[in-house]
Amino acid sequence: MGPGWRAASAALVGGSVAIFGGLRRATLAVPRPDAVRSRPGRAWRWRNLLVSFAHSVLAGLWALFSLWHSPELLSDIQDGYSVSGHLLVCFSSGYFIHDSLDIIFNHQSRSSWEYLVHHAMAISAFVSLIITGRFLVAAMLLLLVEVSNIFLTVRMLLKMSNVPSPALYEANKYVNLVMYFLFRLAPQSYLTWYFLRYVEVQGQGAFLTANLLLLDAMILMYFSRLLRSDFFPSLRKGSAGRDVDGEKFLID
């Protein structure tokens, strides 16, 4: 990648940050449920989740369509390249930067430190992909997770809203579990196997492999939380009476 293309990519990332900043301001006009209005500490979390939902819909469907439209990319995970994939990585990098700034500037770092760790990993990995132009297909596969995040975010919004229809939450609970397997666990498992078997553990390959393994640990931890919360509530510990105002966990 030449200097001109890198500068253009940086501009795209900056533009994405601005887009999500504007979207966050737009969420102020979205009506809030009574359960959110009655507890002001949840206002930030509600708006943040709405922005996260928008990113999940756009990035998840973008990744899915790009890979469906160009399936030949899957045959060259290390050096395969598409303009769509490059734009997607720039777009999502902007979201992760925006969300990190949103967390920090709104003094939510302590309750949302897991997100900050995840975003730091994603931003550093994506920047390396943008600079080198390599492993973009791996990033597209990883961003399939955003399809799963659509239903995960809906789950958290429903919990915050205290929606009176438990059937809606129950239906989403099972769809969320299926999507978790299809678009989070399956791509992550495949990429871990691929990196450990085919990618040289040096330079960028070593950096991305380390990121991937750390992400594996985080995903398994989140999956354990999800199962305990939605399917085995009797196994949850220390959650009774906990005030969740202002908190933003991947699984809550």
Side-chain angles (χ1 to χ4, degrees), residues 84-134:
S84 177
H86 189 101
L87 294 175
L88 173 59
V89 170
C90 291
F91 176 75
S92 287
S93 297
Y95 165 73
F96 292 131
I97 292 171
H98 168 269
D99 198 49
S100 299
L101 295 175
D102 189 28
I103 291 170
I104 293 169
F105 290 159
N106 284 281
H107 311 292
Q108 301 292 330
S109 299
R110 183 175 180 180
S111 61
S112 304
W113 66 269
E114 295 173 354
Y115 261 72
L116 290 177
V117 171
H118 172 272
H119 290 358
M121 292 165 54
I123 293 167
S124 60
F126 283 3
V127 167
S128 79
L129 307 184
I130 292 170
I131 291 174
T132 66
R134 302 185 69 229

Side-chain angles (χ1 to χ4, degrees), residues 170-191:
E170 286 293 309
N172 185 75
K173 179 174 75 172
Y174 288 102
V175 174
N176 181 40
L177 184 64
V178 172
M179 294 299 174
Y180 205 99
F181 273 103
L182 291 178
F183 293 102
R184 189 182 296 263
L185 294 178
Q188 186 75 21
S189 299
Y190 174 73
L191 279 176

Side-chain angles (χ1 to χ4, degrees), residues 62-77 80-85 137 140-141:
W62 189 342
L64 192 61
F65 176 78
S66 295
L67 290 171
W68 173 79
H69 186 262
S70 303
E72 68 277 3
L73 291 172
L74 296 173
S75 64
D76 191 358
I77 289 179
Y81 180 83
S82 77
V83 173
S84 177
V137 180
M140 295 167 70
L141 282 169

